[in-house]
Amino acid sequence: AYVGQQITYTFGFYQAEQLTGDVDYQPAATPGFVAENLPNPANTNEVLNGRTYAVQRRKKALFATTPGPHTIGKASVTVTLDPFSGPTELVAPPLVVTVLPLPTQGRPPGFGGAVGQFRVTLSADRQAVRAGETINLQVQVTGNGNLRSLAAPQLNLPSWARVYPAGETRKAEAGGAGNP
């Protein structure tokens, strides 16, 4: 993966035995990444080697902030199969991900480091104004990737135009796009 590119981390818990009590999930530590919880898929049943398992999955979108090796820590669930023997912790070992620096060749002008597929639209509250009147412009960016890493767009307006920033609203919704 490259710096800023989404990695989708999925933790799966496969259960074939009846449990007494809840499943206590402890997510992996993700230093070196910006992490966003993704919607969890619906629980399913899967057959492996002739045995049926109830499967629960937890998903996170991870965006590495620097190149190099990064460790996604252990994740675990604590379950109780037998109330007389107490809880058991089941652990998924840590993973090491090699993160590459972004290539320098082919970067668009003004590239600020945001990686993804984005669409930018511009709309105005009116089509014509008189000298001295204001016009409200709205820049909207949608797409897949780490939207939080986007900087405010640079407007290339004529020298006679004045800009009065009205603020910014960001709404990011976890959707799960990226590498499985």
Side-chain angles (χ1 to χ4, degrees):
Y2 289 96
V3 169
Q5 181 181 17
Q6 180 175 328
I7 300 169
T8 302
Y9 174 79
T10 304
F11 175 87
F13 172 58
Y14 288 68
Q15 173 190 341
E17 302 292 330
Q18 184 67 32
L19 300 176
T20 59
D22 294 329
V23 175
D24 180 26
Y25 169 62
Q26 294 298 314
T30 54
F33 293 95
V34 172
E36 296 280 341
N37 289 325
L38 295 174
N40 295 319
N43 293 345
T44 61
N45 290 315
E46 292 184 25
V47 177
L48 296 171
N49 298 324
R51 190 168 188 185
T52 302
Y53 294 86
V55 182
Q56 299 176 39
R57 289 188 173 84
R58 301 292 178 261
K59 297 179 89 171
K60 266 187 187 179
L62 302 176
F63 303 93
T65 57
T66 58
H70 291 279
T71 300
I72 299 170
K74 70 175 187 164
S76 67
V77 292
T78 302
V79 298
T80 303
L81 292 168
D82 177 358
F84 300 108
S85 62
T88 301
E89 182 182 36
L90 307 170
V91 178
L95 298 170
V96 176
V97 176
T98 301
V99 178
L100 304 172
L102 290 173
T104 56
Q105 187 175 11
R107 286 185 182 179
F111 177 70
V115 177
Q117 294 180 338
F118 306 109
R119 193 179 108 196
V120 179
T121 57
L122 176 70
S123 60
D125 66 345
R126 55 184 124 171
Q127 298 300 313
V129 293
R130 292 188 179 119
E133 290 183 335
T134 61
I135 185 168
N136 293 310
L137 299 177
Q138 179 179 358
V139 178
Q140 184 175 23
V141 180
T142 58
N144 296 312
N146 188 359
L147 294 173
R148 287 174 174 75
S149 68
L150 290 173
Q154 297 299 313
L155 301 176
N156 191 9
L157 300 173
S159 61
W160 52 262
R162 292 190 192 130
V163 176
Y164 302 98
E168 174 181 307
T169 302
R170 290 187 185 223
K171 180 181 176 188
E173 294 178 5
N179 298 328

